[in-house]
Amino acid sequence: MPELPEVETVRRGLQPAMEGSKILRAEARRPDLRFPFQPDFIARLDGQVVTSLSRRAKYLLADLASGDVLLMHLGMSGSFRVVSDEAATAPGAFHHPRSDERAHDHVVFHMSSGTSVIYNDPRRFGFMKIFARSEIEREPFLRDIGPEPLGNAFDAAMLAGALAGKKTSLKAALLDQRNVAGLGNIYVCEALFRSQLSPRRLAATLATKKGEPTDRAVRLVGAIHDVLNLAIKAGGSSLRDHRQTSGELGYFQHSFQVYDREGETCKTEGCGGIVKRFVQNGRSTFWCPKCQK
């Protein structure tokens, strides 16, 4: 599943083709993706100008001149391809290669910019939905999402407040989108390693009894900022099924400090430990038991 950096990379790749351009014609080449398309899905898109293209957690949000918002989620294998007379590009860099098979081109936006934006999704775990911007606070997919980890308001105090009293593991708490938006397995493993915190640590230990942030919370927030910014700069993690709109793969996977490095020597200077893997909440966790406490 794509995480925040991958979705942000896709957003930046789609922005020149979509933002400020009119959807001359939209096509849905099947009746559904993960969920059925709304009956008026095409009618609410045709002829609309995309006034802005933003991201919330792992969702892309295209604001339309009508006051509607097109919400898009990539699922496990979804990707976009931007096609023009000159060339085709594919925004987003992901660790596992995306499909190029035209049989899986399920949604097409023909833009006034002279490009076609094509959504391809072999597994059809992605989805699209249109709702009124005035309803965004009540939108079920968005209403319970926590703060953006790269937002100005996200700091150690905010994280400590979210985790105070939590009886779950630190890793599970960070994966809970109600606590922090957009984080997934890869970047949680990386941030915990860089802050030298155990994924098994009790989440509540990042706050004092008064709910104030501990030094651990300060370290973790700094590590989250660093790893996300580095991954966005590199174009996403390129894991399994994602690709940039430029068609180039991202290179953040070459900067992994712990993820997918089971059995290798810990990269922390002077540690000498060995990276271990275990299954936690159904997901692979990579960590160094020697330096992550």
Side-chain angles (χ1 to χ4, degrees):
M1 196 73 74
E3 301 184 28
L4 184 156
E6 285 80 17
V7 180
E8 178 61 21
T9 301
V10 171
R11 186 194 71 81
R12 295 181 185 188
L14 290 176
Q15 203 169 19
M18 298 190 75
E19 200 167 81
S21 294
K22 180 184 290 188
I23 302 173
L24 298 177
R25 182 168 60 92
E27 295 180 63
R29 294 179 174 177
R30 54 174 301 111
D32 58 7
L33 292 171
R34 190 194 311 182
F35 310 115
F37 290 112
Q38 295 150 285
D40 58 353
F41 180 76
I42 295 298
R44 292 171 75 173
L45 291 172
D46 282 347
Q48 291 300 319
V49 173
V50 178
T51 58
S52 69
L53 186 63
S54 59
R55 177 194 54 75
R56 179 72 172 107
K58 304 175 185 181
Y59 297 97
L60 291 168
L61 301 173
D63 275 273
L64 306 177
S66 62
D68 281 339
V69 177
L70 170 62
L71 177 149
M72 299 172 278
H73 192 279
L74 294 172
M76 294 179 68
S77 63
S79 63
F80 284 98
R81 191 169 73 255
V82 179
V83 178
S84 67
D85 292 338
E86 293 78 25
T89 60
F94 312 95
H95 185 81
H96 302 283
R98 291 294 185 181
S99 169
D100 286 327
E101 293 186 28
R102 302 302 185 257
H104 301 305
D105 290 348
H106 301 311
V107 181
V108 183
F109 305 110
H110 300 278
M111 308 300 300
S112 64
S113 60
T115 61
S116 294
V117 176
I118 302 168
Y119 179 72
N120 181 290
D121 192 349
R123 303 181 197 178
R124 300 199 305 276
F125 277 25
F127 60 91
M128 297 185 187
K129 178 183 180 181
I130 298 179
F131 59 88
R133 165 57 76 169
S134 60
E135 296 295 315
I136 196 165
E137 298 298 328
R138 292 179 288 277
E139 168 52 42
F141 288 115
L142 301 176
R143 65 189 177 199
D144 295 324
I145 293 177
E148 288 287 329
L150 294 178
N152 293 333
F154 183 73
D155 57 13
M158 178 176 281
L159 182 61
L163 301 186
K166 297 284 186 184
K167 303 300 183 184
T168 187
S169 71
L170 181 53
K171 186 187 177 192
L174 292 174
L175 289 175
D176 187 336
Q177 299 297 293
R178 295 170 296 182
N179 295 324
V180 188
L183 295 183
N185 197 44
I186 297 169
Y187 299 111
V188 168
C189 286
E190 287 293 306
L192 289 173
F193 175 79
R194 291 169 190 237
S195 56
Q196 296 190 318
L197 295 173
S198 169
R200 290 187 166 117
R201 170 177 284 280
L202 192 66
T205 61
L206 268 67
T208 66
K209 291 182 179 180
K210 294 182 179 181
E212 297 173 348
T214 64
D215 176 65
R216 300 183 189 100
V218 174
R219 296 199 326 258
L220 180 55
V221 167
I224 290 171
H225 286 159
D226 289 346
V227 75
L228 292 179
N229 281 317
L230 285 169
I232 290 169
K233 184 177 180 180
S237 71
S238 255
L239 279 185
R240 187 176 295 184
D241 272 333
H242 299 268
R243 186 173 300 186
Q244 294 190 94
T245 43
S246 66
E248 299 170 0
L249 294 177
Y251 293 99
F252 184 73
Q253 71 270 26
H254 300 304
S255 299
F256 286 164
Q257 300 294 298
V258 71
Y259 187 84
D260 207 21
R261 296 190 63 247
E262 181 183 10
E264 297 182 31
T265 303
C266 176
K267 290 191 174 184
T268 300
E269 187 175 355
C271 174
I274 300 298
V275 173
K276 303 292 185 182
R277 172 190 170 275
F278 68 97
V279 177
Q280 188 177 23
N281 302 106
R283 307 295 298 277
S284 290
T285 294
F286 297 91
W287 72 312
C288 174
K290 186 174 180 181
C291 69
Q292 288 181 251
K293 304 297 182 182

